[in-house]
Amino acid sequence: MTPGLKNSSILELNNLEVHFDVSDPIVTRILSRSPRKYVKAVNDIDFSVARGATFSLVGESGCGKSTLARCVAGLISPTKGDISFNGSSITGKKARDRNSILRRMQMIFQDPYSSLDPRWRVGDIIAEPVRSMKVYDSRQEIIDRVDELLVQVGLNPRDKNKYPHEFSGGQRQRISIARSLSVAPEFLICDEPTSALDVSVQAQILNLMSELQEALDLTLLFISHDLAVIDHVSDRIGVMYLGRLCEIASKRELFETPRHPYTRMLIETIPDVRGRKRDRKPIEGEVPNPLDPPPGCVFHQRCPLANERCKREVPVLITKDGSQIACHAAEEGRG
Amino acid sequence: MTVLSIERLRIEFPLRRQVLVAVDDISLEINAGEILGIVGESGAGKSLTGASLIGLLEPPGQVSSGQIRLNGRDITNLTQRELRKIRGKQIGAIFQDPLTSLNPLLTIGRQLTETLNAHLKLQQSEAKERAIDMLREVGIPAPEQRMSSYPHELSGGMRQRVVIALALCCNPELIVADEPTTALDVSVQAQIILLLKKLCLKQGTAVMLVTHDLGVIAEAADRVAVMYSGRLVEIGPVGDIVENPIHPYTKGLMGSIPVIGAHKHRLAGIEGAMPRLDDRPHGCAFHPRCSHATELCRSQQPKLTAIESSERKSACHYNDEGKFR
Amino acid sequence: MLMKPETEVGSHRHLLTSVRRVLDSDVAHSFFASPATVLAALVTLLFVFMAVFAPVLTSYTPFNPSTLDLMDSFIPPVWDANGDPSHLLGTDDQGRDVLAAIMYGTRISLIVGLCSVLLSLLIGVPLGIVSGYFGGWIDSVVMRIADIQLTIPPILIALMIDGVTRTVLAGNLHETAAIPVLILSIGIASWPQYARVVRSGTLVERNKDYIAAAHMAQSPPYRIMIGHILPNVIGPTLVIATIGVAVAIIIEATLSFLGVGVPPTSPSLGTLIRIGNDYVFSGEWWISLFPCLALVMLVLAVNLIGDWLRDTFNPKLR
C-alpha cells in the first residue's frame, strides 16, 4: 500500500517452528513412564515472499507445508520464531488486532466440500468475512459486493441463493475463492486449492487464479504437492522435506538446475505425462516418521550423497548463487 | 493372447424414480502381460468398470447387459460363491488404500499363506516359502522377519507392496488395480508403478490400471482407454493418446495438464464440467463442452470407430476430419 | 412496487413445488414404505389429539374432585354385564371415568415428556458445543460431570431432586409445583446424553475447513458456535431427542407409579396405573390395565418414530 514498500517483501518468516504436543494423557504417561511426545511439524523456516509474486511450497504429504500455511494464516500458533507481514510482526496478536491483518490476508482451502458450511447459502458464505469484519455499512453494499464477486469468479449472481450441495467441486472452489476475495486482500494463502479437483477443472481454477492475481495485484503463497502445478503458477519455490526447507530457488533454477538431492529426486521420479522416461530408478525408501526423525540431515537415509557429516549435523539454509540450499554435499561441492 | 475381453458392458443403478446408467457400451480387451490404463474424471465410470470385473459393484449397481470374458470363460453374472473362487486365484485386486485390503488382526505372513492355501492348496511349509519369496519379490527387506508383522507396523508404501504380493501370489491371469498409487507419497508412487510393471511383465499378467492420474498412466500403461460420462471416448497405445489425441475430450484433458517447463500463461483446459448421471445431454455427452460441436453431435451419439492406419479407436463424429488432428 | 405481484406469484409457486418436492422426496418414500412407522405416527397423532382436545372429547372432568360421585365407583367396562354405556372403559375407586382420566393423563405425560426433553436439550446442547469447541479444561470438567451423572440411573437422580424439593417446599405448594418439579428432575437427569452426542459432533465439525474459514473471516467464537456448529450438529441430536421423549414419559410414569410424581388429584398415566394396581387382585383389573395399554402404545409409537428418524437421517448412529 505504501509506495515505499513496493517491490519489498510482503511476508517474512524468521526461524519459525511449530511443534505439536501428541503426548498420551497424563495418567497413561505416568503409568507407563513414557515421556511427552512432540511432532516437530515445522522447523527453522526462513523465507520471504516478494510483493506481487507467487511463492510456492512443495513437498510430499506430511512435510509440514500445510501446517506452515495455517501458521501464516494465524490458525495455528508457532512454537518459536516470528512472522512479519507488511513489515510488522503478526505472531501472538490478539483477535482484535488481527482484524487489520485479515483484511489484507485471506486463505483458500484444499477440500471444496468441507470448506463451505453445508447449511449456509452461498451469498452468506461469501459475505461472512465482510460481515464479521464490518467492511460495509449497509446491507445493499454487501449484496452488491457478493454479486460482483460471483461474476468475478465466473458464477452467476443468482447463485447466491443456492446451497453448496447444488454445485460441483470446481464451482465450490470458485465460491471459496470469492469468499477469500470479499475483503479485497492483497495476500492469498492457497493450500492445495486444486488437488481435490479433476484435471480439466483444475485447469479452469488455475487459469482463474492467474487472471485474478493479475487483475487484483495479489501476492500468493501457494501450497501443493504437484510439481507441474507448482511450475505453472510460481515465481519462487521452496521445497520442504519432513518439516524443513531444503531448497529455495526461482522456478527456472529449481527445475533446470536442482541442487538439493531431494529436489532432484522429486523432479526425477514424479510420474509425468510428457516425460515418459521408461528406464529410471526411483529413489529407495520412504519419508521417515515425523515423531522420530533421523538425526542430522533428515534426508540422509535416502540420499545418495550422504556421508558421516550428514548423519550427525543438521544442514542450515545457505545462500549460493541466488538460491538457498540446506545440504552439506552442495555446500562442500560434492553434488 | 487375449486374457480379458469386455463386450458392450452396461452398468445400471436402478433407483426408485429412474435408472441411472453409470457405464454404457464399453468394449475392450487386455492381452497377457499388457497394462491397460483406464482414465477419466471422477464419476466417469472407470472404477465401476473395474469393480464389475471382480463382482464388487455396490448394490443397487448391476451389470445389466454385455459380457465379461476371462480367458474365454463368461464371468459376467457369477454367483458370489463362484466369484470367490476366481477372486484371488485368477483375478487379483489392488485398491487405493492398502489398509482396507489387509486384515488388521492377522500378520501379513498369515494372510499370504492363507490365500495360497485356499487357492493353490499348498502345504503349510510350501505356502510359507512361497509367501517369503513373494515378499522378497515385491521388495520388502528382511521378508522372513516381516512375515510376523501386522499391517499397522508397516509404512504406506510397504503395505501397498504387501497388497501387490497378495494380489500376485497365486499367479492370477488378471490384476485390477484401482488407483493403486493415489494414497501414496509422490516419491513412493514411482516405486510402486515400476514394481507393478516389472512383476506383471514377468508373470505375463494382464493389468487393468484404473486411475485419474494421467502421469501414472503415461508411465505405466501400454494402452489407454479414456472414459467420459460412462462411455469410452478413445482407446489406443499410450504414446499416441498422450502425444496426439484425436477425441476433443482427450485433447482437452491433455491441454489441462500443466507440464513442467512449458511455461504457458494459460492452460487450454475444458470449460464446464462433466454432466451428472441423471442429466446427460442428448447425442454426444461431451457436446456442451466441445468447441467443435455441430447439430449432428447434439442429436446423435457417436460410435467408437477405428482410426485408419492406427491401432486407435475414437468416438467422435468428426474422427476423420483433419482439422481436429 | 411493480415487482410485488410477481414475487407473490413466485412464492406461491415456490410453496407448491416445495410441497410436491417433500411428498416426492426419498424421506417421504421411506416413511410410507414402512407400515410400522406410519402406524406409529397415526397412534402418536391420536394420542396428541386426545390430549389436546380432552375437554372437548369428554364431558367428565377427572381432575375436579367435586364432580366425582363415589356412587359411580368401580363400574366395569361397557362390555361387562354390569357395565354402564356412559363409562366406556369403566370407572375407578373414586368414580372417575377411566377413559377421560387416560385422556387427561396422556396430556400430563406428554407435557412432562416434551418439556423435560426440551430442558435436557437446553442444558446439554450448549454444554456439548462449548466443551467440544473449546476443549481443554472446560471439556474435561463438563464431560467428567456428565460421566459421573451417567453412572447414576436417571430415575435415582429424579427421585433425589424430587425428594429435595419435597422437603424444601411446603405440602400444598409441592402439590401445585409437582409437574414443574418433575420436568426439572427428569430434564436435569438426562442432559448428559445430549451433551455427549453434541460434543462428538462438534469435535468433527470443528476440524472442518469451513470453521477455519470462519476464523479467517474473524467471526467470533459465539457466532461460530451458534451460526456454524449448532445447525450442523443439531440434526442427529433431535433424532435422539425423539427417543428421549419416550424415555422421559417412562420415567415420569415410573416416578408417578412410585408415588413421587404427579399427585392423585391430577393423575398422569403412571398415577392411574398405581391407583389401579391396588385393585388388580380384587377383580377391578380395568382401572390399571387401560392406562397401562395407553402408556405402552404411546411409548412404543414414539420409539418407533424415533428409530425410523434415526435410521433415515443418520444411519451411522444405529
Side-chain angles (χ1 to χ4, degrees):
Chain A
M1 293 292 136
T2 326
L5 279 174
K6 200 103 182 152
N7 298 325
S8 67
S9 57
I10 187 168
L11 181 81
E12 263 177 63
L13 272 63
N14 291 313
N15 205 6
L16 200 76
E17 252 179 50
V18 183
H19 293 183
F20 293 119
D21 188 348
V22 290
S23 315
D24 295 324
I26 183 155
V27 180
T28 323
R29 225 164 49 227
I30 292 167
L31 288 178
S32 62
R33 298 212 175 78
S34 54
R36 276 183 167 275
K37 272 184 257 167
Y38 294 97
V39 173
K40 297 179 176 170
V42 167
N43 289 297
D44 298 332
I45 299 290
D46 281 281
F47 68 81
S48 62
V49 179
R51 190 175 297 277
T54 301
F55 185 94
S56 295
L57 289 169
V58 66
E60 299 176 76
S61 52
C63 73
K65 55 190 192 300
S66 279
T67 306
L68 190 52
R70 275 161 197 266
C71 190
V72 172
L75 296 169
I76 299 175
S77 312
T79 317
K80 216 177 95 187
D82 185 60
I83 303 169
S84 64
F85 182 60
N86 277 320
S88 55
S89 171
I90 59 169
T91 32
K93 282 268 168 140
K94 289 255 166 11
R96 195 157 32 84
D97 302 322
R98 291 194 55 80
N99 223 343
S100 59
I101 300 163
L102 291 176
R103 288 280 295 267
R104 306 167 77 174
M105 175 200 282
Q106 278 296 316
M107 182 162 178
I108 306 169
F109 299 89
Q110 171 176 1
D111 180 1
Y113 290 87
S114 80
S115 64
L116 308 178
D117 188 335
R119 308 262 166 183
W120 282 33
R121 286 180 198 276
V122 166
D124 293 325
I125 290 174
I126 295 175
E128 188 180 12
V130 289
R131 282 203 184 119
S132 291
M133 294 191 218
K134 302 191 172 57
V135 176
Y136 299 107
D137 299 324
S138 73
R139 288 170 56 95
Q140 191 56 46
E141 276 179 293
I142 295 178
I143 294 170
D144 292 345
R145 177 67 179 149
V146 168
D147 288 355
E148 178 193 11
L149 286 161
L150 280 167
V151 173
Q152 207 162 28
V153 298
L155 294 171
N156 193 307
R158 269 178 315 201
D159 289 338
K160 65 173 175 285
N161 294 319
K162 295 184 183 164
Y163 286 96
H165 69 85
E166 297 172 63
F167 295 90
S168 67
Q171 289 171 315
R172 281 162 179 252
Q173 207 56 307
R174 287 172 194 268
I175 295 167
S176 192
I177 291 172
R179 169 177 60 192
S180 70
L181 293 177
S182 63
V183 292
E186 51 190 318
F187 184 69
L188 213 51
I189 302 162
C190 314
D191 185 8
E192 308 239 18
T194 63
S195 51
L197 306 174
D198 283 316
V199 271
S200 72
V201 181
Q202 167 175 286
Q204 296 167 13
I205 298 295
L206 290 178
N207 285 339
L208 173 71
M209 288 184 58
S210 69
E211 279 161 27
L212 290 171
Q213 182 175 22
E214 216 158 286
L216 304 173
D217 206 11
L218 293 168
T219 309
L220 303 184
L221 176 63
F222 197 98
I223 318 290
S224 180
H225 68 274
D226 187 330
L227 274 178
V229 170
I230 288 281
D231 177 58
H232 181 76
V233 300
S234 321
D235 297 305
R236 212 169 163 73
I237 298 161
V239 182
M240 283 184 80
Y241 185 74
L242 217 66
R244 290 174 183 277
L245 272 171
C246 21
E247 185 167 0
I248 303 176
S250 73
K251 169 162 75 180
R252 184 172 289 273
E253 269 174 287
L254 192 86
F255 284 99
E256 282 171 11
T257 51
R259 288 158 203 265
H260 197 284
Y262 177 63
T263 317
R264 282 188 211 152
M265 183 209 90
L266 266 187
I267 294 174
E268 178 62 25
T269 55
I270 280 173
D272 181 23
V273 185
R274 305 301 141 100
R276 293 194 294 119
K277 307 164 203 112
R278 287 279 152 149
D279 302 310
R280 61 186 199 191
K281 202 172 155 38
I283 205 129
E284 291 300 317
E286 289 180 46
V287 185
N289 185 351
L291 257 178
D292 183 24
C297 173
V298 282
F299 187 60
H300 83 253
Q301 291 157 327
R302 304 171 76 186
C303 180
L305 305 173
N307 64 9
E308 280 308 311
R309 189 182 168 203
C310 302
K311 288 177 193 163
R312 292 190 321 266
E313 208 180 305
V314 180
V316 291
L317 213 56
I318 52 160
T319 309
K320 207 176 178 187
D321 311 328
S323 62
Q324 290 164 286
I325 179 170
C327 176
H328 295 313
E331 190 188 331
E332 294 161 10
R334 283 190 283 127
Chain B
M1 193 190 69
T2 306
V3 173
L4 176 81
S5 85
I6 299 179
E7 262 167 66
R8 311 213 60 178
L9 179 73
R10 182 177 166 104
I11 299 174
E12 289 180 349
F13 284 78
L15 298 182
R16 186 160 60 84
R17 256 163 286 168
Q18 75 210 82
V19 174
L20 296 181
V21 182
V23 168
D24 195 12
D25 202 15
I26 298 276
S27 301
L28 50 84
E29 291 180 345
I30 311 181
N31 296 323
E34 184 188 45
I35 300 183
L36 175 78
I38 299 205
V39 272
E41 300 179 63
S42 40
K46 54 188 192 306
S47 285
L48 290 176
T49 309
S52 70
L53 302 184
I54 36 183
L56 291 181
L57 277 181
E58 295 236 355
Q62 57 180 48
V63 175
S64 59
S65 68
Q67 244 191 3
I68 304 168
R69 290 174 168 276
L70 186 67
N71 279 328
R73 180 187 169 202
D74 188 352
I75 58 162
T76 318
N77 280 314
L78 291 186
T79 61
Q80 281 301 323
R81 214 180 132 167
E82 291 168 304
L83 268 167
R84 262 200 295 280
K85 278 190 211 150
I86 291 182
R87 265 200 307 255
K89 190 179 183 187
Q90 287 175 285
I91 307 182
I94 303 169
F95 297 108
Q96 176 170 341
D97 182 3
L99 270 186
T100 59
S101 316
L102 296 171
N103 185 335
L105 299 177
L106 300 180
T107 61
I108 57 171
R110 176 110 184 257
Q111 298 186 45
L112 275 163
T113 47
E114 273 185 5
T115 311
L116 287 163
N117 282 338
H119 291 300
L120 300 183
K121 311 274 181 289
L122 290 184
Q123 294 294 313
Q124 193 59 38
S125 56
E126 279 177 287
K128 198 178 164 198
E129 214 168 286
R130 180 148 169 78
I132 292 172
D133 284 345
M134 261 339 278
L135 289 179
R136 189 173 296 124
E137 194 93 45
V138 295
I140 287 181
E144 287 89 351
Q145 282 92 56
R146 279 298 168 207
M147 287 285 280
S148 51
S149 299
Y150 289 90
H152 69 89
E153 296 172 312
L154 305 176
S155 67
M158 285 300 153
R159 278 185 212 134
Q160 199 60 304
R161 284 171 195 268
V162 173
V163 172
I164 292 177
L166 262 175
L168 282 167
C169 66
C170 301
N171 270 327
E173 291 134 34
L174 174 74
I175 295 265
V176 177
D178 189 352
E179 306 273 5
T181 60
T182 308
L184 303 175
D185 278 330
V186 267
S187 64
V188 183
Q189 285 185 1
Q191 300 169 7
I192 297 296
I193 296 170
L194 250 109
L195 175 71
L196 195 62
K197 248 184 104 143
K198 189 185 84 188
L199 291 179
C200 292
L201 202 64
K202 190 172 156 197
Q203 298 194 357
T205 317
V207 180
M208 177 182 274
L209 176 63
V210 177
T211 179
H212 71 283
D213 190 334
L214 282 155
V216 169
I217 291 278
E219 201 80 21
D222 300 304
R223 281 191 307 135
V224 192
V226 184
M227 284 186 75
Y228 184 81
S229 193
R231 287 175 161 265
L232 273 186
V233 292
E234 188 163 358
I235 182 167
V238 65
D240 293 354
I241 301 257
V242 167
E243 275 144 35
N244 182 23
I246 289 181
H247 195 281
Y249 173 66
T250 322
K251 280 183 187 229
L253 207 57
M254 294 301 159
S256 301
I257 308 168
V259 178
I260 292 176
H263 298 212
K264 273 193 256 173
H265 189 60
R266 279 185 68 86
L267 296 164
I270 317 172
E271 284 306 306
M274 195 165 74
R276 292 202 315 262
L277 288 185
D278 56 350
D279 192 23
R280 260 198 209 117
H282 258 281
C284 173
F286 186 61
H287 86 250
R289 301 174 76 185
C290 182
S291 52
H292 307 291
T294 63
E295 208 35 61
L296 181 64
C297 304
R298 282 183 269 274
S299 56
Q300 246 184 52
Q301 204 153 48
K303 287 194 176 61
L304 196 66
T305 46
I307 305 294
E308 259 179 72
S309 67
S310 77
E311 298 161 55
R312 284 204 268 181
K313 289 176 184 173
S314 164
C316 177
H317 290 302
Y318 300 98
N319 271 342
D320 306 326
E321 285 190 24
K323 64 174 177 183
F324 288 174
R325 295 246 186 128
Chain C
M1 283 299 106
L2 239 165
M3 288 296 290
K4 211 177 173 206
E6 201 185 306
T7 47
E8 254 169 25
V9 169
S11 71
H12 184 61
R13 192 183 304 137
H14 190 74
L15 192 73
L16 267 181
T17 51
S18 18
V19 167
R20 203 171 303 137
R21 201 180 303 149
V22 167
L23 284 179
D24 193 40
S25 66
D26 291 334
V27 173
H29 181 258
S30 109
F31 177 78
F32 289 114
S34 151
T37 313
V38 176
L39 190 68
L42 285 176
V43 168
T44 311
L45 269 180
L46 179 77
F47 273 103
V48 171
F49 182 78
M50 257 169 47
V52 172
F53 295 103
V56 187
L57 292 173
T58 171
S59 55
Y60 300 107
T61 46
F63 289 1
N64 187 351
S66 62
T67 61
L68 301 179
D69 187 348
L70 274 179
M71 295 301 288
D72 292 337
S73 60
F74 299 123
I75 298 175
V78 67
W79 53 87
D80 193 280
N82 300 322
D84 178 347
S86 57
H87 296 290
L88 278 179
L89 300 179
T91 60
D92 70 356
D93 58 333
Q94 308 275 319
R96 229 182 328 232
D97 181 76
V98 171
L99 181 61
I102 287 176
M103 286 183 189
Y104 281 93
T106 306
R107 204 180 219 195
I108 292 177
S109 292
L110 280 175
I111 289 175
V112 172
L114 287 171
C115 291
S116 57
V117 166
L118 209 66
L119 181 66
S120 304
L121 285 172
L122 281 175
I123 305 171
V125 172
L127 283 177
I129 290 188
V130 165
S131 57
Y133 181 78
F134 288 110
W137 67 267
I138 299 179
D139 185 33
S140 302
V141 170
V142 172
M143 282 302 123
R144 284 310 80 76
I145 293 174
D147 285 348
I148 292 166
Q149 206 186 307
L150 278 173
T151 59
I152 312 169
I155 293 206
L156 216 57
I157 296 169
L159 267 174
M160 231 161 60
I161 297 171
D162 193 79
V164 170
T165 48
R166 201 170 278 265
T167 45
V168 172
L169 299 172
N172 233 357
L173 196 61
H174 180 262
E175 201 112 304
T176 45
I179 290 175
V181 166
L182 258 184
I183 291 172
L184 193 74
S185 23
I186 300 174
I188 290 177
S190 37
W191 68 269
Q193 51 163 329
Y194 302 107
R196 282 189 153 192
V197 171
V198 168
R199 175 180 171 269
S200 63
T202 307
L203 287 178
V204 173
E205 298 300 319
R206 186 185 68 173
N207 289 324
K208 289 192 178 163
D209 278 342
Y210 71 85
I211 298 297
H215 284 298
M216 293 304 287
Q218 276 289 76
S219 293
Y222 76 88
R223 212 182 297 160
I224 293 179
M225 285 188 272
I226 296 171
H228 286 295
I229 292 179
L230 180 65
N232 281 294
V233 298
I234 199 70
T237 317
L238 290 182
V239 169
I240 293 173
T242 317
I243 300 171
V245 171
V247 175
I249 291 174
I250 289 279
I251 296 180
E252 181 276 328
T254 311
L255 290 174
S256 296
F257 182 81
L258 293 175
V260 292
V262 192
T265 45
S266 54
S268 74
L269 291 175
T271 324
L272 288 173
I273 296 167
R274 180 170 62 98
I275 295 167
N277 193 38
D278 296 340
Y279 303 99
V280 169
F281 295 107
S282 59
E284 290 84 15
W285 48 268
W286 59 88
I287 306 176
S288 186
L289 182 72
F290 293 117
C292 260
L293 281 179
L295 181 71
V296 168
M297 276 164 69
L298 176 62
V299 169
L300 189 63
V302 175
N303 253 326
L304 282 173
I305 294 174
D307 281 353
W308 170 79
L309 280 172
R310 183 191 58 189
D311 294 351
T312 312
F313 291 102
N314 215 335
K316 276 183 215 139
L317 274 178
R318 208 177 311 197

